Amino acid sequence: MPELPEVATTISGIRPYLEGAVIVRAEIRERRLRWPIASDLEQRVAGRKVVGINRRGKYIVVHLDRGGLLVHLGMSGSFRIVDPQTRPEKHDHFDLLTDAGPVIRYRDPRRFGCLIHCEGDPGSHERLSRLGMEPLEDGFTGARLYRLGRTRNVPIKTYIMDSSVVVGVGNIYASESLFVAGISPVRRCSRISIARYDMLALSIRRVLTDSIAKGGTTLQDFVRADGRPGYFDQELSVYGRAGEPCLACSHPIKSRIIAQRATYYCPQCQT
């Protein structure tokens, strides 16, 4: 599933072709995504100017001169920039055609993504209003993580993957951040000191920032906006490395299932 760095990379890829452009029309070939695409979306967006694009959690937020769009990549969604004459393939579900020329085409083999039109400010949509802290903004601190976690009794990995607490820390980056912070993924979030939460907040920010700088680490079916595979520059410390030596201490990396997700950690370095 594309995670926060992949969403950030996607926005960087489509922004030059979409921001400031006027949507001439939308072509919807498949409405049955995670939530059905509105039957009149084409009419709502035609002629609207894109005034900005940003990210909230794993949502791409497209601000129009009236209303906006929310896009989620789901498990296998991606955008491509194509020539208007390029024929759509089987899983190419919708296009945004603009006065800038190229077509912004959405592909999603598993159809778990979404395209939602908002009449008002898309940033106020109910899909976004319940989301937690943004890990790359100033309000994300160890103190806030500590305060929210004191009354909970779940593993710390489950806690930091809860989007009502902090957004965008998916399975890969949760494992990597906990390794950098030296915290066991099974440790209960209520039994972690504020000092260790400070280290965890810094680690999450560092891991995500580094991944965005590299273009994002991703699963195999993620593709960047320019069509190149997203699975590149892979420098993972623990994720997917069960049985291999830890890069810090050489102890074998362990794996286990936490909240139905594969989790990787070093039992020597993480306590």
Side-chain angles (χ1 to χ4, degrees):
M1 177 185 294
E3 298 192 24
L4 186 153
E6 288 73 56
V7 176
T9 300
T10 296
I11 291 173
S12 296
I14 65 175
R15 178 176 279 127
Y17 303 94
L18 195 55
E19 196 168 70
V22 173
I23 299 176
V24 176
R25 69 180 185 277
E27 292 185 356
I28 313 297
R29 287 177 290 274
E30 175 60 82
R31 297 185 183 274
R32 298 171 299 169
L33 300 185
R34 184 175 183 180
W35 301 291
I37 297 176
S39 60
D40 61 347
L41 182 139
E42 295 92 330
Q43 290 72 41
R44 295 185 189 182
V45 303
R48 301 267 64 88
K49 183 176 181 178
V50 178
V51 297
I53 307 172
N54 67 296
R55 178 192 56 75
R56 180 69 171 108
K58 297 182 184 180
Y59 283 90
I60 298 170
V61 186
V62 181
H63 299 269
L64 305 176
D65 55 3
R66 188 172 69 199
L69 297 168
L70 297 183
V71 181
H72 197 291
L73 300 177
M75 297 182 67
S76 60
S78 63
F79 278 103
R80 288 162 174 76
I81 308 301
V82 301
D83 184 272
Q85 305 305 315
T86 303
R87 293 175 60 87
E89 299 180 12
K90 178 180 179 181
H91 300 298
D92 293 340
H93 300 317
F94 68 81
D95 292 347
L96 296 177
L97 295 86
T98 74
D99 63 352
V103 171
I104 295 88
R105 177 163 291 167
Y106 179 76
R107 176 175 296 177
D108 190 353
R110 300 185 187 180
R111 291 194 282 117
F112 278 18
C114 75
L115 175 65
I116 299 172
H117 179 264
C118 310
E119 291 290 350
D121 176 14
S124 301
H125 192 276
E126 63 179 357
R127 298 286 174 194
L128 307 185
S129 62
R130 295 188 293 271
L131 295 179
M133 296 177 281
E134 283 285 348
L136 301 181
E137 295 184 356
D138 291 342
F140 180 65
T141 65
R144 288 189 68 186
L145 283 175
Y146 173 76
R147 186 169 63 252
L148 293 173
R150 291 181 66 185
T151 58
R152 306 195 184 198
N153 191 36
V154 297
I156 183 61
K157 180 168 179 278
T158 302
Y159 175 61
I160 63 173
M161 289 182 63
D162 183 342
S163 63
S164 69
V165 176
V166 54
V167 296
V169 184
N171 199 35
I172 295 174
Y173 298 106
S175 289
E176 292 295 301
S177 299
L178 288 166
F179 174 76
V180 173
I183 299 174
S184 169
V186 302
R187 180 173 287 276
R188 296 287 162 173
C189 65
S190 59
R191 298 181 63 82
I192 295 176
S193 69
I194 190 169
R196 299 195 83 187
Y197 268 119
D198 285 338
M199 178 60 71
L200 179 57
L202 289 172
S203 298
I204 290 171
R205 188 186 296 269
R206 171 183 155 190
V207 167
L208 292 175
T209 300
D210 288 350
S211 296
I212 291 171
K214 293 182 174 70
T217 305
T218 175
L219 300 183
Q220 292 176 347
D221 49 10
F222 176 78
V223 178
R224 293 193 294 174
D226 60 8
R228 288 188 289 158
Y231 206 36
F232 65 99
D233 255 358
Q234 183 175 229
E235 298 176 359
L236 300 177
S237 297
V238 289
Y239 188 86
R241 298 187 62 244
E244 297 179 26
C246 171
L247 300 179
C249 73
S250 299
H251 192 281
I253 298 297
K254 299 292 186 182
S255 67
R256 63 185 298 170
I257 301 298
I258 299 177
Q260 301 181 323
R261 305 300 299 273
T263 302
Y264 301 87
Y265 64 103
C266 174
Q268 290 280 92
C269 295
Q270 296 173 251
T271 59

